[in-house]
Amino acid sequence: MAHIKLSRRDLWHSLNKVAATAALSAVPMGRLFAAPQDYTGRFFMTIQAEGAWDTASFCDPKMNVAGESIINHWATSGDIDTAGNLPFAPVANNAAFFNKHYNKMLVINGIDAQTNSHSTGVLHNWSGRNSAGFPSLTALFATQHAPQLPLSYLNYGGYAETARLIRYTRLNDVNALLSVLTPNILPWDRAQTFQNPEMLAVVKEHQQARLQRLRRRSTNLPRAQYTMDAYYTARQNAAGLEDFAAVIPSSDELQSNSFMQQMQMTVLAFKSGAACSADAVLNGFDTHADHDAEQMPKLAELTDGINYLWDYATQQGIADRLTVLIASDFARTPWYNSSSGKDHWPIGSAIVMENNPSWGNRVIAGTDEKQNVLKLNSNTLTPDTKGNVIYPKHIHQAIRDYLGIGGVFNDTFNLNTSEQFNFFGLG
């Protein structure tokens, strides 16, 4: 018998791989959950301001400090405004946004992403740790609460790591989506079908039976088994897609702005019972040059889109079931560069929104007047030199707990938060 020599590094790599596989095997995969007949739980949505927003001109406003570089041009002649208890910068469409929604909002300032790198910032803020492998909050939420919905987890192009817990559906082209949701309907005449519906139903029944037999073969390798299980589940729940297809507006009723269209389609997917979580994304916040002219319109587009989300969710009757997390890669420097732009700054913010929450109209002030991070008492959420810095993991753990994501997910994807910030516990 041939002998294989392993170096210490190879052995260590193999042992780590076995340990990781064993840990993941403890996590219930999507196919093991019972499909809800009618999902009546909460909906969860993230809104990713991609490129790093300027929180000093939004939810963590800063005036200029005497003797220091200018933080904001607007602060040379303007002042910080407030809506309820929330301070905001008097630029873009901030006033309309904060005045309308302050009771829905928990603003958390002073989150240290520990990086100036976009890729690491995105990873850290949307997975809770700064190395790869952990799923997004939206993936965890969908897996915990309704993994068998036809399109349980929607994504529009932002961070969407699933750790193989569930599959996400990329939703970018409505016409392409309709062709997938209703493949038997003629695109040019939606009153006609390619095949007789009754005959097609018989064919689908036999296809599903064959796939079931293939799934039960003892010789299936793990990857093939996973793929077949996912495909079987998708086909089994295909009928639910028809409910979603039925509420998709005609092209002339769709929002023309792509970001608002993400809001529109997500609300309809939630209402129809096709999905329970989604990641929306708005690009363009990386303003290294001509900052004021570029950043302010993006902030206005962001708040206009979120405003439309809540109006449309209210119109469709699901606003009271919706939780929204808004954040970015990190923030921008509290000074301008030589190109009138602002560069990367690791200390950022997040906003959580709900209808009529006990924790609404509150701000956690985790930065000083120059946008440096402050240590906070994790219980009182007030500055404390013996306290702790807020990291993305604290936001993730708090939201996991708040949304009922726990058990094996906390064990397998442990965020190692020895201190728990009481973000949602203070009314």
Side-chain angles (χ1 to χ4, degrees), residues 194-207:
F194 288 104
Q195 304 291 336
N196 180 289
E198 293 181 0
M199 181 62 70
L200 186 61
V202 173
V203 172
K204 288 181 177 179
E205 182 180 346
H206 284 277
Q207 287 176 332

Side-chain angles (χ1 to χ4, degrees), residues 32-353:
L32 299 181
F33 288 79
Q37 293 298 312
D38 292 295
Y39 180 67
T40 58
R42 294 206 65 78
F43 303 117
F44 178 56
M45 184 176 186
T46 69
I47 296 177
Q48 304 177 19
E50 199 163 271
W53 57 3
D54 183 11
T55 56
S57 288
F58 187 49
C59 60
D60 191 15
K62 302 298 178 188
M63 297 298 292
N64 298 322
V65 178
E68 301 286 346
S69 299
I70 289 177
I71 299 176
N72 291 303
H73 288 136
W74 59 260
T76 60
S77 57
D79 204 348
I80 294 172
D81 207 343
T82 58
N85 298 320
L86 306 186
F88 63 87
V91 293
N93 291 344
N94 291 350
F97 176 69
F98 282 90
N99 281 311
K100 182 172 183 176
H101 298 292
Y102 68 89
N103 276 324
K104 296 184 180 76
M105 300 166 67
L106 168 64
V107 178
I108 306 172
N109 296 324
I111 304 167
D112 188 356
Q114 300 177 288
T115 184
N116 282 332
S117 162
H118 285 298
S119 57
T120 305
V122 168
L123 181 68
H124 201 179
N125 278 290
W126 297 112
S127 76
R129 73 170 190 170
N130 58 11
S131 56
F134 272 26
S136 66
L137 274 169
T138 27
L140 284 172
F141 181 87
T143 308
Q144 176 83 58
H145 292 294
Q148 299 286 11
L149 294 180
L151 304 172
S152 187
Y153 175 20
L154 299 177
N155 177 269
Y156 295 88
Y159 182 83
E161 174 60 49
T162 66
R164 293 189 69 194
L165 296 174
I166 198 168
R167 293 182 179 230
Y168 67 81
T169 299
R170 182 63 57 83
L171 215 172
N172 295 96
D173 185 326
V174 174
N175 289 327
L177 174 68
L178 281 171
S179 69
V180 172
L181 298 182
T182 54
N184 195 38
I185 294 178
L186 274 63
W188 57 88
D189 184 358
R190 301 200 64 79
Q192 301 294 320
T193 60
F194 288 104
Q195 304 291 336
N196 180 289
E198 293 181 0
M199 181 62 70
L200 186 61
V202 173
V203 172
K204 288 181 177 179
E205 182 180 346
H206 284 277
Q207 287 176 332
Q208 197 73 347
R210 178 179 179 275
L211 183 56
Q212 179 74 304
R213 293 193 299 272
L214 292 174
R215 290 174 65 223
R216 291 174 175 172
R217 293 190 308 190
S218 60
T219 55
N220 288 339
L221 295 175
R223 184 178 293 275
Q225 185 69 51
Y226 173 79
T227 302
M228 282 191 287
D229 286 344
Y231 183 48
Y232 178 84
T233 301
R235 290 183 62 92
Q236 189 177 39
N237 291 288
L241 297 176
E242 296 175 2
D243 294 333
F244 183 29
V247 298
I248 293 177
S250 60
S251 57
D252 60 336
E253 295 176 317
L254 281 172
Q255 287 292 321
S256 57
N257 176 278
S258 61
F259 183 57
M260 285 193 179
Q261 192 177 112
Q262 293 178 42
M263 309 294 112
Q264 183 180 27
M265 295 300 293
T266 298
V267 168
L268 293 174
F270 287 169
K271 181 183 181 181
S272 68
C276 68
S277 74
D279 299 314
V281 62
L282 180 62
N283 300 305
F285 288 90
D286 199 19
T287 49
H288 289 281
D290 206 10
H291 173 80
D292 291 359
E294 298 292 332
Q295 181 83 194
M296 304 314 160
K298 295 311 295 186
L299 287 172
E301 185 178 1
L302 177 71
T303 55
D304 287 351
I306 299 169
N307 186 55
Y308 171 75
L309 167 67
W310 284 106
D311 285 349
Y312 196 56
T314 300
Q315 178 186 327
Q316 297 297 323
I318 66 163
D320 289 339
R321 299 168 60 191
L322 180 62
T323 302
V324 181
L325 170 64
I326 310 153
S328 189
D329 314 11
F330 29 71
R332 310 212 72 81
T333 51
W335 62 80
Y336 293 85
N337 61 28
S338 59
S339 299
S340 298
K342 288 189 176 185
D343 300 319
H344 300 168
W345 188 250
I347 313 305
S349 303
I351 299 175
V352 186
M353 297 182 74

Side-chain angles (χ1 to χ4, degrees), residues 323-403:
T323 302
V324 181
L325 170 64
I326 310 153
S328 189
D329 314 11
F330 29 71
R332 310 212 72 81
T333 51
W335 62 80
Y336 293 85
N337 61 28
S338 59
S339 299
S340 298
K342 288 189 176 185
D343 300 319
H344 300 168
W345 188 250
I347 313 305
S349 303
I351 299 175
V352 186
M353 297 182 74
E354 264 187 22
N355 249 1
N356 304 310
S358 61
W359 40 260
N361 190 21
R362 286 202 302 122
V363 59
I364 287 95
T367 61
D368 65 13
E369 71 279 6
K370 293 192 288 186
Q371 208 176 331
N372 295 307
V373 72
L374 293 174
K375 289 185 176 181
L376 301 180
N377 181 298
S378 57
N379 291 314
T380 64
L381 304 177
T382 55
D384 184 344
T385 56
K386 296 182 180 180
N388 299 285
V389 173
I390 301 173
Y391 297 114
K393 66 180 180 179
H394 298 118
I395 308 298
H396 279 248
Q397 189 62 63
I399 293 178
R400 283 188 191 185
D401 295 342
Y402 181 69
L403 294 177

